[in-house]
């Protein structure tokens, strides 16, 4: 159906609102029936100093310090940042750079904690059981202190969204239990096993932002989770305006802006946040973490990770302490030889492919996948010419024109690509997924975005340098002018005195008149 | 004969009117200096390194705008700057004479520095701080890597170091496919006005 | 009213100067490599053509015919066009130096753009009134602008597409122009004029 007809039908209420485009990949939810297992403590935990979007943290501890579980070990150095906490009790053994789950293969400064096995919890944060009568700003500070960041994978600092702003009152809280990426089941299991805690967390969210209504969004391939949430909801008397909505499965429905449009019919404008249209969207995992932070006073030190993939013998959902080595997780599930397997951090559509498994679990680790080469086949097939079939434009959930953007990025026409809204691309991978010519479209967009960011950074540096250079030239010019002015003044004061000196040779000061004039001037 | 006079007179009168109108327009649309210089100047990397043969970025911009200099002399700007200048000037892009070196930073070995202030005077962007008989040091965030401070130093205590790579500044490379390379080579056509 | 609509429609689409009458091909090929320059050129030509057709009509009616100097038509018209081009050149140089640089030699060459002189002479031949000649001039220029901008858009897309070595640059541009001309022939039945 043409987009304009569909939009009109949606406006008139003849059709359910739904985001455009999207794809239906095979879901491969191998670990959907595996309950959450606790993963053992690892001997050494590696905590990178940045596990969120924003500014890097700086360590608060030194080598040799004893730390407790939940103790703050790194403090944030800016607004867009959250602190890092020790995942277990033990000793800080070293602070140095360690590889992280990043496509560059580069590392970040990290704190290494050797666990002592006691797992003693830091009790300094008191539980706030009476949160309903607490000040929202106090709860917000708690969310920041506990290091909460979006656990759906984007790791945006949570406290920033939890704000009451008179200009943008929040009407609806959306709980995101969509989990549209193939393979991943961590949110699914969390909703099945911790429905009450999630709902309590949602009540805290609604109290914090002053919202009256809420929606819990779940895709229809997780009926059991939806039933569990509905049961828990029925058991509560204080959440009448909250509804569980079951949506037809489609990727990328879990993307914040797409989900909000599907649920409310309101579109988040480019460059704006959901709060600007009166919506707060939180992942179920984050909501559970908020519950723990407020009601139990526990910092974010663990998360549920789906360990899966077609090359993994025993897929599972694990409750893992942050900083645990990914290699040990794979070994626990029966994979020790990594030759011929590809490791993916995150989901298969948006995750990063990594060269080795020696990196720690961080706040953004939704899933860890081990894929066989056959499964990753499309990544190795040859890129063919674009045949302009238009599948990518149809699949794009933001209605961009991926094939044109890729052409522009490829030939370095970044400004033009930006004018075709390259920066609105959410890199969901739907276009690359449907492309019959195997064009790595998202890879081109990432290249284009990176190059444009580089150009803008260089331009800013060049502008700053030009200002400094011009200021320097102006200063030299001014100093020269001052010197010249001083010289002429000296000459003027000097000249009559020499005349006098000729007339009156007894005066000794005349010889030194120049110096005298200078000192007199400097007194002025 | 009369019609010939008419013809001459009318043509002459018309030309006179047109001339007067154009003279007024010339006054109204008079421009001071060359506005291209500022636009070219913003394209240049502002290292003020002088590798183009001119004493700074602005003088090179003036030279390019007047057609005196070629578009391909900016070494640190690399190919991208050359293409942008060629695009702005509407001329064919040319090959670069020198490959741009990796971005560098100056570093003063402080225990060897004698505090002579010569490097401070040489720095075109005031990125070195210090005072006579005091250690000098380079503000890394402001250093353009122009190497102009190396030569005046009497004790050779300034090193050029590689600029550290930051994970935040890492960007995705072009996909490693043949079509990506072929497409990338087409970027030069964009700049030309053939 | 119908007459005005008919004149505009026929001059923009049916008797398009570039693709049907093949006038003004030189700037059509020369300034169409980028949409920005094409837009600038379009506005410059639109200004020159509209003003030139009105002024030349006035000159024809009130100078040349009363003085029986019709044989000086070409010289007078070129004089008008040249002055207008000088004027617009100064204006562009002042307002948009980048566009001035981008248009390069093609800006003063509007003087010799046969579409401009063509519209002035056609106005006289077809014995248009003052209003219709102004409309005809504007319509012809709008048609020129339309195809120039469309063509520039096509060329921008072609530039970043994989094209066989043989066809790169002008050959493919000419083929594209030919195909556009064929497409515009489809308008020929639109208005019986």
């Amino acid at each position: 159906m043409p987009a304009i007809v569909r939009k009109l039908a949606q406006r008139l209420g003849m059709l359910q609102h739904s985001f455009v485009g999207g794809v239906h990949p095979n879901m491969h939810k191998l670990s959907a029936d595996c309950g959450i297992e606790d993963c053992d403590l690892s001997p050494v935990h590696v905590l990178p100093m940045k596990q969120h979007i924003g500014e890097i943290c700086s360590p608060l501890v030194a080598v040799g310090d004893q730390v407790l579980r939940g103790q703050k070990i790194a403090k944030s150095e800016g607004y867009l940042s959250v602190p890092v906490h020790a995942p277990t009790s033990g000793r800080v053994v070293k602070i140095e750079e360690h590889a992280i789950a990043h496509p560059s293969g580069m590392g970040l400064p990290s704190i290494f904690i050797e666990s002592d096995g006691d797992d003693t919890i830091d009790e300094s944060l008191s539980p706030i059981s009476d949160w309903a009568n607490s000040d929202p700003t106090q709860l917000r500070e708690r969310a920041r202190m506990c290091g909460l960041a979006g656990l759906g994978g984007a790791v945006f600092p949570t406290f920033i969204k939890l704000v009451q702003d008179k200009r943008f009152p929040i009407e609806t809280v959306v709980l995101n239990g969509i989990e549209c990426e193939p393979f991943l089941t961590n949110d699914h299991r969390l909703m099945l096993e911790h429905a009450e805690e999630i709902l309590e967390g949602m009540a805290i969210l609604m109290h914090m932002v002053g919202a009256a209504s809420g929606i819990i969004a779940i895709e229809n391939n997780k009926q059991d989770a939806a039933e569990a949430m509905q049961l828990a909801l029925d058991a509560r008397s204080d959440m009448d305006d909250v509804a569980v909505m079951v949506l037809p499965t489609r990727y990328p429905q879990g993307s914040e802006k797409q989900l909000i449009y599907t649920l409310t019919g309101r579109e988040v404008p480019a460059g704006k946040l959901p709060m600007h249209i009166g919506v707060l969207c939180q992942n179920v995992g984050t909501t559970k973490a908020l519950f723990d932070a407020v009601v139990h006073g526990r910092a974010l030190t663990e998360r549920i990770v789906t360990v899966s993939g077609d090359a993994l013998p025993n897929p599972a959902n694990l409750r893992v302490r942050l900083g645990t080595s990914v290699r040990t997780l794979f070994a626990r599930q029966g994979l020790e030889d990594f030759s011929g397997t590809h490791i993916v951090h995150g989901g298969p559509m948006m995750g990063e492919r990594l060269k080795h498994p020696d990196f720690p679990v961080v706040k953004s680790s939704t899933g860890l996948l081990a894929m066989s080469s056959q499964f990753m086949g499309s990544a190795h097939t040859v890129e063919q010419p674009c045949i302009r079939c238009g599948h990518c434009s149809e699949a794009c959930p933001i209605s961009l024109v991926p094939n044109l953007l890729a052409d522009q990025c490829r030939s370095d026409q970044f400004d033009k690509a930006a004018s075709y809204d390259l920066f609105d691309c959410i890199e969901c991978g739907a276009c690359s997924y449907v492309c019959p010519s195997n064009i790595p479209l998202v890879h081109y967009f990432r290249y284009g975005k990176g190059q444009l960011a580089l150009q803008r950074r260089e331009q800013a540096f060049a502008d700053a340098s030009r200002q400094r250079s011009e200021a320097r030239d102006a200063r030299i010019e001014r100093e020269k002018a001052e010197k010249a002015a001083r010289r002429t003044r000296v000459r003027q004061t000097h000249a009559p005195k020499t005349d006098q000196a000729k007339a009156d040779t007894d005066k000794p000061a005349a010889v030194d008149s120049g110096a005298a004039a200078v000192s007199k001037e400097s007194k002025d | 004969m009369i019609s010939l006079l008419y013809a001459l007179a009318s043509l002459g009168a018309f030309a006179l009117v047109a001339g007067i109108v154009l003279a007024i327009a010339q006054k109204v649309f008079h421009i001071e200096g060359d506005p291209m210089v500022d636009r070219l100047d913003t394209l240049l990397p502002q290292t003020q390194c002088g590798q183009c043969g001119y004493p700074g970025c602005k003088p090179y911009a003036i030279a390019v705008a007047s057609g005196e200099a070629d578009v391909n002399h900016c070494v640190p700007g690399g190919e991208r700057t050359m293409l942008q200048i060629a695009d702005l000037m509407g001329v064919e892009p040319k090959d670069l004479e020198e490959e741009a070196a990796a971005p560098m930073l100056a570093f003063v070995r402080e225990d060897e520095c004698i505090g002579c202030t010569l490097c401070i005077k040489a720095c075109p962007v005031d990125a070195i701080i210090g005072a006579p008989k005091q250690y000098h040091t380079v503000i890394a965030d402001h250093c353009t890597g122009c190497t102009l401070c190396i030569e005046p130093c009497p004790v050779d205590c300034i090193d050029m170091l590689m600029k550290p790579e930051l994970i935040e500044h890492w960007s995705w490379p072009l996909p490693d496919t043949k079509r990506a390379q072929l497409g990338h080579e087409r970027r030069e056509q964009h700049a030309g006005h053939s | 009213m119908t007459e005005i609509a008919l004149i505009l429609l026929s001059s923009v689409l049916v008797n398009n100067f570039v693709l049907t009458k093949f006038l003004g091909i030189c700037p059509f090929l020369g300034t169409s490599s980028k949409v920005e320059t094409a837009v600038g050129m379009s506005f410059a030509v639109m200004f020159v053509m509209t003003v030139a057709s009105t002024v030349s009509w006035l000159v024809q009616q009130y100078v040349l015919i009363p003085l029986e100097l019709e044989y000086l038509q070409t010289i007078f018209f070129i004089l008008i066009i040249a002055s207008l081009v000088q004027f617009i050149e100064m204006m562009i140089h002042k307002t948009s130096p980048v566009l001035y640089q981008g248009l390069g030699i093609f800006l003063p060459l509007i003087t010799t753009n046969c579409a401009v002189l063509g519209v002035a002479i056609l106005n006289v031949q077809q014995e248009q009134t003052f209003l219709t000649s102004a409309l005809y001039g504007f319509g012809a220029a709008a048609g020129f602008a339309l195809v120039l901008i469309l063509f520039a858009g096509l060329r921008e897309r072609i530039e970043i597409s994989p094209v066989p070595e043989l066809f790169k640059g002008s050959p493919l541009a000419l083929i594209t122009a030919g195909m556009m001309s064929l497409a515009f022939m489809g308008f020929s039945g639109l208005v019986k004029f």
Side-chain angles (χ1 to χ4, degrees), chain C residues 24-187:
Chain C
I25 297 289
C26 170
F28 175 65
L29 292 173
T31 58
S32 58
S33 59
K34 278 203 278 167
V35 172
E36 289 93 45
T37 48
V39 171
M41 186 69 180
S42 298
F43 278 108
V45 170
M46 239 190 242
F47 171 80
V48 173
M49 265 167 109
T50 315
V51 179
S53 52
T54 49
V55 175
S56 60
W57 187 89
L58 289 173
V59 169
Q60 174 77 15
Q61 295 299 318
Y62 296 111
V63 180
L64 299 185
I65 294 180
L67 297 177
E68 294 172 348
L69 293 172
E70 285 96 334
Y71 59 91
L72 283 178
Q73 207 184 44
T74 317
I75 292 182
F76 261 93
F77 288 0
I78 283 289
L79 190 63
I80 294 164
I81 294 165
S83 325
L84 284 170
V85 170
Q86 282 298 312
F87 181 80
I88 192 103
E89 191 181 339
M90 281 184 242
M91 207 163 85
I92 289 178
H93 198 170
K94 172 87 177 177
T95 51
S96 171
V98 174
L99 184 63
Y100 182 77
Q101 202 82 28
L103 290 172
I105 188 68
F106 289 102
L107 192 53
L109 277 185
I110 299 177
T111 313
T112 57
N113 183 342
C114 38
V116 184
L117 184 63
V119 79
I121 290 176
L122 280 173
N123 272 335
V124 173
Q125 282 175 0
Q126 294 173 355
E127 290 171 355
Q128 309 268 24
T129 64
F130 178 73
L131 188 65
T132 54
S133 71
L135 273 175
Y136 190 59
F138 178 76
F144 177 83
L146 176 74
V147 294
L148 183 63
I149 294 166
L150 283 180
F151 188 58
L154 286 173
R155 279 185 78 174
E156 274 196 353
R157 294 284 290 272
I158 289 170
E159 233 167 49
I160 53 172
S161 306
V163 172
E165 203 66 37
L166 275 173
F167 289 103
K168 262 182 193 165
S170 307
L172 202 55
L174 287 169
I175 292 171
T176 315
M179 280 157 105
M180 280 181 81
S181 177
L182 283 175
F184 266 70
M185 278 169 76
F187 290 121

Side-chain angles (χ1 to χ4, degrees), chain A residues 67-335:
Chain A
V67 292
L68 299 174
R69 179 179 181 192
Q71 183 183 336
K72 193 159 104 171
I73 54 171
K75 66 173 198 303
S76 37
E77 292 285 351
Y79 179 63
L80 190 65
S81 181
V82 285
V84 180
H85 301 81
T88 183
S89 62
R91 200 170 57 90
V92 178
V93 284
K94 57 179 171 176
I95 300 175
E96 62 180 43
E97 205 165 283
H98 189 275
I100 59 162
H102 193 268
S104 67
M106 287 154 82
L108 273 179
S110 311
I111 297 176
F112 291 62
I113 294 174
E114 193 180 61
S115 69
D116 55 13
D118 298 340
D119 202 20
T120 325
I121 294 176
D122 180 18
E123 305 282 2
S124 61
L125 279 179
S126 59
I128 311 175
S129 47
D130 188 25
W131 53 262
N133 293 317
S134 314
D135 186 16
T137 50
Q138 184 202 349
L139 296 174
R140 183 171 187 250
E141 181 57 18
R142 171 59 62 95
R144 193 184 72 79
M145 282 301 293
C146 287
L148 258 57
L151 296 183
V155 282
F156 185 78
T158 304
F159 77 95
I160 291 178
K161 296 205 262 183
L162 301 179
V163 64
Q164 285 196 17
D165 191 331
K166 285 204 183 68
R167 289 168 301 166
F168 311 109
I170 303 287
E171 292 159 19
T172 315
V173 170
V174 172
L175 212 55
N176 187 345
I178 294 291
E179 199 161 58
C180 55
E181 279 257 13
F183 286 100
L184 302 189
T185 55
N186 50 335
D187 287 350
H188 182 186
R189 292 311 304 183
L190 196 71
M191 285 189 287
L192 272 178
E193 297 178 24
H194 297 279
E196 287 85 12
E197 282 108 312
I198 294 172
L199 279 184
E200 185 79 4
M202 185 172 185
I204 299 173
L205 279 178
M206 289 169 70
H207 167 64
M208 285 177 77
V209 297
S213 65
I215 303 171
I216 303 167
I218 300 170
E219 281 191 340
N220 64 3
N221 59 358
K222 291 182 276 290
Q223 287 291 356
D224 50 349
E227 280 157 22
M229 292 303 286
Q230 187 65 56
L231 265 178
L233 194 59
D234 293 342
R236 290 183 71 108
S237 57
D238 58 335
M239 295 176 89
D240 297 334
D241 268 346
V242 178
V244 175
M245 294 253 286
V246 180
L247 301 170
T249 304
R250 183 155 48 123
Y251 180 85
Q253 191 138 247
S255 165
E256 193 171 66
K257 293 186 175 184
Q258 276 62 39
L259 180 63
I260 289 169
Y261 181 69
T262 306
L263 292 173
T264 66
R266 280 179 248 174
E267 216 165 319
V268 183
K272 291 278 164 78
L273 294 171
M275 72 179 245
H276 295 126
I277 57 164
V279 178
L280 170 76
C281 187
Q282 283 292 1
N283 172 268
V284 288
T286 323
T287 313
K288 163 80 165 55
L290 179 71
F291 165 80
D292 286 339
V294 172
V295 177
H296 296 310
R298 265 191 247 142
L300 181 60
T301 55
E302 62 183 14
R303 67 157 298 140
I304 318 291
V305 181
T306 300
V307 187
S308 185
D310 70 326
L312 190 73
N314 309 310
N317 298 297
L318 302 176
R319 185 177 286 112
V320 186
R321 296 289 167 87
L322 300 179
T324 308
S325 162
V326 167
R327 189 182 283 276
T328 60
L329 288 187
F330 277 127
R332 185 184 190 276
Q333 300 314 121
L335 181 76

